[in-house]
Amino acid sequence: MLKQWINDKSGFYMEKTLKDFKPGESGVVAKIGGAGQIRRRIFDMGITPNTEIVMRKVAPLGDPIEVTVRGYQLSLRKSEAELVVMKAGGDSK
Amino acid sequence: MRIALAGNPNSGKTTLFNVLTGSTAHVGNWPGVTVDRKEGVHKRGGEKISIIDLPGIYSLSPYSPEEVVARNFILEESPEAIINIVDATNIERNLYLTTQLLESDVPVVVALNMTDMAEKNNIRIDTKLLEKELGVPVVPISALLKQGLDKLMDAAVKAAGEKRKGVSVISEGKYADALSKIEEVAREEKLSHPKFKAVKLLEGDDKGIDVSDAAKAKIAEIKKGVRLPAEFEGDFEATVANERYDIVGGRYSKAVKRAKNSEKLTGSDKIDRILTSRLFGLPIFFVLMFLVFHVTFGEDLFFLSSLGLSEEGILSPGVWMLEQTGVFIDWISGFATAGLNAVSAPEWCHGLIVDGVLAGVGAVLSFMPQILLLFLFLSIMEDSGYMARAAFLMDRILRRFGLSGKAFMPLLMCFGCLVPAIMGSRTLENDRERKLMIMLAPFFSCGAKLPIWGMFAMALFPENADLLVFAIYMIGIITAVIAAIILKYTILRGEASPFIMELPPYHMPLIKNVVLNLWEKLKGYVYRAATIIAGATVVIWFLSNFSFSLDLVESASKESMLGFFGTHLQFLFEPLGWASGDIGWKAVVAALTGLIAKEMVVSTMGVLYDPGVEGDALEDETASSALALSIIAVFSPLAAISYMAFNLLSVPCMAAVATAHSELRSAKWTWTTIAFWIGTAWVVSFLIFQVGSLFGLGTEMVNPTPGQIEAAAQIAPAEPAPDAPVVAE
């Protein structure tokens, strides 16, 4: 509870997700949240733990985003990108 | 011999299918779902091989209808072989599907497509090594340049003659033990494709797999003994997917040499930078959309006339073709009339053929050029890769209404014609979204409704015609927004489908693909025109020209069957403000004919309100002024708006209903949709009239302007008027 609260207020404990990435930033996937169809779809499209992802751009209206994964371009909504937890210490280019 | 074509979307599968089968393709439907089933014949020497094009998929998961269809076909209909097309420029994700196909017992041949493009991108693939790693033949091809196709078919035919047992990459990894135990259970259960089904059972996916309860318990026991890494939180499905990618990435990539991170942008990347840029992305999109509509529906191409660059201006290709079709249909009718006169056919026969069948088919065919143009642009956008970007740009707006970005194009097309728009709903990913899009479709005022707005604008709002038309469009859009939200929380509840979508590289659209696509759509439309729509027109012709005693009466008059329905249904529409009084039934009848086709509303009103002015004569300005006077006498401005709202929102036309039915694939949903359209139309008209009356807005009848009276007076008095004009009342 407390952890959740601190999380929401400050982002202190928050794991960094793909949603928080800035265009140009890259990182490695730690784990995938969610369940069912959405989770399976993320895996099917090649976003799996230890995969490198480059954040490319945000759509003009602020959502969805475009990333490069396994050599191709993929778009996903921020609500879906939020399920992709990234490893700490991703390099910013 | 039957060979199935399987592969990722955008892997060149359609191109390969088209070059293999030429123009023999036959498009049908997979049972129970709205997924195209394409089948064609490949001629090889004297042999005819049937090629089945499975839907483009990334995986064989149990979630999307495309994936389920592909999976069922492979497992249950056991084709002799599968050709798995693999995009060499994107080999990792493509091989992920290959690993799943290899688990079935069906012989597989891998067609490695676009190797030339891959080499350009510095990706080198050792075909021999890849063949060894996969254990099935790998044939490099170029579907685009028609290279390697003979070798591919040789390999496929050879493979089809041999027996094959499924293999799984999972057997090479950490869960090999559990998999082999489950496979044992699967063999005990005498399942076909035991390897494939064992992997699915390990994943916990038992869709279409019948196993006994005892076996289920055994499998649960086996899975209990498996320890999954913490990051998968006990999710076997995710674990198996991860294993596949790990092994594809680790083992098979030995055969793929990629030049280390060439940072150079490809041409496609450069185009994309502009087309989806923060600043220019949306303006470019809207300009392109405008051009599509302008070229299809514009009366004054590139505004040459308005800008004073050309006296007359020129018609857009769409309108020009529409007019030519009209001329052609008139010629046919004239020909038929002459023929019928020559054999002195009875009047009813003449009416049936010329006013019924020919008019009906003609009305449908006359829209065909514009529908084809819309489809042409649509398939160019689809084939070039821009469609995915359009969805990327528009997703944010549409998501609020329970739709994804992909719904934007079909919805926009509704402003032109509902038939191609509803056919376009197929590009949407889930069933719920498809239904939602179809149910909202008529609320976007289509081209055929414009004459109605024009007629009322001229009669009642001559000063503010543009404002009125704008208001009608807004009523439609606002209704669509509210209806979408209501539907989202009532009959179309459900999870939003994921919007995890590949953005394929841009490429020049292939003329052959575009033409074949257009040809398929055209066939579908003509078939519908020839059957349902023409049938409906004949029925309406019959109802409006005959009384119940089967006497020929004046078209749509009170004595006709249609008039009978109009007078007896009148009470239902009285609360809407335009159906009360002695002549209220006329508006009802006109609205009823509008359910068949919106073009009929104005012509029916012409007949009913002012005998002597009908059909094409309404295009004559003075003639329509006479109708305007009648309308002024009958409708208050508020009643007119309520009436227009009803026509806007109710059943659009028989063509749209027929199209919606073939997309919804269920009588129950078709009737629900029809009821929803009529219900919405009634409620909105009711609210407009009642709320308006409460505040006394527009309830006063207006007086015709001197200009209108003068224009009407110019009508040749020689026109015989059987009844006194309504104006006199």
Side-chain angles (χ1 to χ4, degrees):
Chain A
M1 274 294 281
L2 181 67
K3 208 169 165 182
Q4 185 64 44
W5 185 79
I6 295 172
N7 228 341
D8 292 345
K9 287 291 166 204
S10 64
F12 183 73
Y13 284 111
M14 196 149 65
E15 296 156 309
K16 195 166 187 180
T17 68
L18 186 54
K19 184 184 161 217
D20 310 315
F21 271 42
K22 304 266 173 301
E25 203 175 338
S26 66
V28 174
V29 179
K31 63 173 188 176
I32 316 285
Q37 184 184 7
I38 292 193
R39 184 180 202 180
R40 173 69 188 262
R41 192 68 196 269
I42 295 173
F43 271 97
D44 280 347
M45 297 308 280
I47 300 180
T48 62
N50 299 317
T51 316
E52 196 192 341
I53 297 185
V54 185
M55 162 77 175
R56 298 272 297 239
K57 64 165 84 91
V58 180
L61 296 172
D63 198 11
I65 61 168
E66 180 183 335
V67 300
T68 300
V69 57
R70 296 184 192 266
Y72 79 98
Q73 263 71 264
L74 183 72
S75 100
L76 65 172
R77 288 179 182 152
K78 283 191 167 164
S79 59
E80 290 143 1
E82 205 174 6
L83 302 173
V84 181
V85 180
M86 306 301 287
K87 281 186 178 162
D91 55 326
S92 281
K93 278 179 198 166
Chain B
M1 184 185 288
R2 287 190 312 170
I3 293 179
L5 210 56
N8 281 190
N10 312 306
S11 59
K13 198 164 62 64
T14 307
T15 312
L16 178 61
F17 178 80
N18 288 343
V19 297
L20 285 179
T21 61
S23 52
T24 62
H26 171 83
V27 187
N29 235 287
W30 295 96
V33 288
T34 331
V35 179
D36 281 340
R37 185 190 205 275
K38 280 207 284 187
E39 192 165 348
V41 177
H42 174 69
K43 291 197 189 78
R44 190 171 169 277
E47 199 180 1
K48 281 185 178 169
I49 300 170
S50 176
I51 309 265
I52 294 105
D53 188 19
L54 297 178
I57 45 173
Y58 296 105
S59 169
L60 291 172
S61 90
Y63 297 112
S64 83
E66 285 81 7
E67 290 169 332
V68 173
V69 157
R71 172 167 154 168
N72 289 347
F73 183 80
I74 293 167
L75 296 186
E76 283 156 27
E77 297 192 35
S78 296
E80 270 78 22
I82 300 170
I83 293 177
N84 173 211
I85 182 158
V86 166
D87 174 2
T89 61
N90 197 345
I91 195 156
E92 231 174 320
R93 200 199 60 219
N94 277 258
L95 285 179
Y96 174 77
L97 176 67
T98 308
T99 63
Q100 299 180 53
L101 295 171
L102 289 176
E103 283 161 4
S104 77
D105 289 346
V106 180
V108 176
V109 173
V110 169
L112 194 60
N113 196 21
M114 302 193 238
T115 37
D116 45 338
M117 276 294 288
E119 269 169 36
K120 236 185 248 168
N121 297 351
N122 284 318
I123 303 169
R124 297 201 151 268
I125 300 165
D126 184 340
T127 319
K128 283 276 155 281
L129 191 57
L130 188 63
E131 201 162 69
K132 221 179 96 197
E133 297 281 355
L134 292 170
V136 294
V138 175
V139 185
I141 62 160
S142 169
L144 191 62
L145 304 173
K146 301 183 186 177
Q147 285 167 355
L149 301 179
D150 288 337
K151 270 190 192 155
L152 174 68
M153 290 313 291
D154 287 344
V157 170
K158 184 161 171 277
E162 291 162 6
K163 280 240 174 300
R164 187 178 156 277
K165 275 210 155 61
V167 290
S168 174
V169 291
I170 307 302
S171 305
E172 299 165 19
K174 297 187 278 281
Y175 311 102
D177 206 32
L179 179 62
S180 68
K181 281 183 192 155
I182 295 177
E183 198 183 336
E184 228 166 83
V185 179
R187 285 185 196 282
E188 280 166 23
E189 293 279 307
K190 304 228 178 334
L191 296 180
S192 58
H193 305 281
K195 181 76 89 186
F196 185 95
K197 287 178 181 168
V199 177
K200 292 294 158 210
L201 290 167
L202 177 66
E203 284 179 6
D205 158 14
D206 56 5
K207 193 158 190 157
I209 305 176
D210 271 330
V211 285
S212 64
D213 288 342
K216 272 186 193 151
K218 266 191 223 165
I219 292 164
E221 198 59 38
I222 297 167
K223 284 169 72 172
K224 233 183 242 169
V226 182
R227 290 189 138 251
L228 299 184
E231 68 253 40
F232 296 113
E233 296 153 353
D235 184 345
F236 275 89
E237 202 177 348
T239 310
V240 169
N242 186 56
E243 276 284 292
R244 284 188 203 283
Y245 265 115
D246 271 0
I247 293 169
V248 167
R251 251 188 96 193
Y252 299 152
S253 69
K254 275 193 281 178
V256 182
K257 293 279 169 287
R258 199 185 284 262
K260 197 63 196 157
N261 271 345
S262 50
E263 291 283 305
K264 218 178 70 197
L265 287 174
T266 61
S268 175
D269 290 337
K270 284 180 202 154
I271 297 171
D272 198 49
R273 271 205 168 170
I274 301 164
L275 291 184
T276 61
S277 90
R278 266 217 125 125
L279 209 53
F280 303 113
L282 288 172
I284 292 175
F285 175 68
F286 287 118
V287 168
L288 284 175
M289 290 304 101
F290 173 78
L291 280 178
V292 165
F293 270 73
H294 189 60
V295 169
T296 313
F297 297 104
E299 302 265 349
D300 180 11
L301 196 65
F302 305 126
F303 306 109
L304 290 179
S305 164
S306 321
L307 293 172
L309 294 171
S310 146
E311 195 111 328
E312 298 265 311
I314 43 174
L315 297 172
S316 66
V319 174
W320 183 81
M321 287 197 289
L322 176 76
E323 293 196 345
Q324 298 312 306
T325 322
V327 170
F328 175 70
I329 292 163
D330 284 347
W331 179 79
I332 299 260
S333 312
F335 187 73
T337 309
L340 289 166
N341 286 342
V343 297
S344 44
E347 197 187 342
W348 67 265
C349 172
H350 185 274
L352 174 67
I353 292 176
V354 177
D355 301 333
V357 178
L358 281 177
V361 174
V364 171
L365 290 183
S366 63
F367 282 111
M368 212 163 61
Q370 290 177 325
I371 290 177
L372 268 184
L373 265 182
L374 277 185
F375 267 125
L376 175 72
F377 291 118
L378 202 66
S379 52
I380 290 174
M381 281 176 65
E382 186 94 64
D383 215 39
S384 65
Y386 187 66
M387 195 67 110
R389 270 73 183 191
F392 179 72
L393 292 172
M394 300 311 298
D395 183 65
R396 177 79 195 251
I397 297 174
L398 288 168
R399 194 176 0 145
R400 289 174 189 216
F401 311 117
L403 291 162
S404 84
K406 290 180 187 165
F408 189 80
M409 273 313 292
L411 283 177
L412 187 68
M413 279 161 65
C414 292
F415 286 118
C417 176
L418 294 192
V419 173
I422 292 175
M423 282 162 95
S425 71
R426 244 166 219 235
T427 50
L428 299 183
E429 236 171 82
N430 81 24
D431 205 43
R432 194 184 57 82
E433 275 182 35
R434 257 175 234 153
K435 284 182 184 135
L436 183 56
M437 194 246 118
I438 292 171
M439 290 174 99
L440 299 180
F443 305 164
F444 302 91
S445 175
C446 80
K449 292 173 187 167
L450 259 177
I452 310 177
W453 318 151
M455 177 184 70
F456 279 99
M458 200 179 60
L460 291 164
F461 309 87
E463 310 290 309
N464 302 311
D466 46 352
L467 209 65
L468 173 84
V469 175
F470 179 74
I472 294 294
Y473 276 73
M474 284 317 289
I475 290 174
I477 292 170
I478 293 167
T479 307
V481 166
I482 297 171
I485 293 168
I486 293 173
L487 287 172
K488 201 173 113 181
Y489 289 108
T490 54
I491 54 174
L492 291 176
R493 246 176 307 193
E495 224 182 307
S497 64
F499 186 72
I500 306 173
M501 180 186 68
E502 182 185 3
L503 296 170
Y506 292 91
H507 61 76
M508 280 302 286
L510 285 180
I511 294 171
K512 184 165 188 175
N513 285 356
V514 170
V515 167
L516 282 173
N517 188 8
L518 278 183
W519 173 236
E520 278 157 21
K521 293 285 192 291
L522 184 70
K523 272 198 291 192
Y525 185 71
V526 170
Y527 172 74
R528 223 165 284 153
T531 54
I532 303 176
I533 304 166
T537 328
V538 171
V539 169
I540 201 77
W541 170 83
F542 180 70
L543 290 178
S544 56
N545 284 283
F546 284 86
S547 66
F548 279 102
S549 50
L550 297 183
D551 294 321
L552 194 60
V553 295
E554 178 153 6
S555 182
S557 63
K558 205 167 188 170
E559 293 72 40
S560 69
M561 284 184 260
L562 198 65
F564 175 85
F565 292 131
T567 45
H568 286 81
L569 292 176
Q570 194 179 344
F571 74 97
L572 285 175
F573 300 98
E574 275 173 13
L576 310 185
W578 41 264
S580 26
D582 284 347
I583 52 165
W585 65 272
K586 294 183 177 180
V588 178
V589 168
L592 285 180
T593 59
L595 306 186
I596 308 302
K598 284 289 172 280
E599 303 87 311
M600 291 172 77
V601 175
V602 174
S603 58
T604 309
M605 290 182 91
V607 173
L608 291 180
Y609 286 105
D610 204 342
V613 183
E614 59 178 290
D616 293 342
L618 287 174
E619 280 168 24
D620 178 359
E621 215 164 283
T622 51
S624 52
S625 297
L627 177 59
L629 283 189
S630 320
I631 286 173
I632 292 169
V634 181
F635 289 88
S636 69
L638 185 62
I641 291 179
S642 161
Y643 189 62
M644 283 186 273
F646 186 85
N647 279 294
L648 168 69
L649 305 171
S650 68
V651 176
C653 67
M654 273 305 125
V657 171
T659 314
H661 179 65
S662 70
E663 293 300 321
L664 291 166
R665 321 223 113 238
S666 124
K668 185 191 136 210
W669 273 101
T670 307
W671 286 112
T672 309
T673 303
I674 291 174
F676 173 75
W677 288 339
I678 296 176
T680 309
W682 196 92
V683 169
V684 173
S685 303
F686 177 82
L687 287 177
I688 288 175
F689 184 73
Q690 297 299 338
V691 173
S693 301
L694 206 62
F695 294 101
L697 296 168
T699 46
E700 293 276 311
M701 303 299 272
V702 293
N703 290 317
T705 62
Q708 285 172 324
I709 296 176
E710 199 181 315
Q714 281 173 7
I715 290 199
E719 295 248 340
D723 300 330
V726 191
V727 191
E729 288 175 30

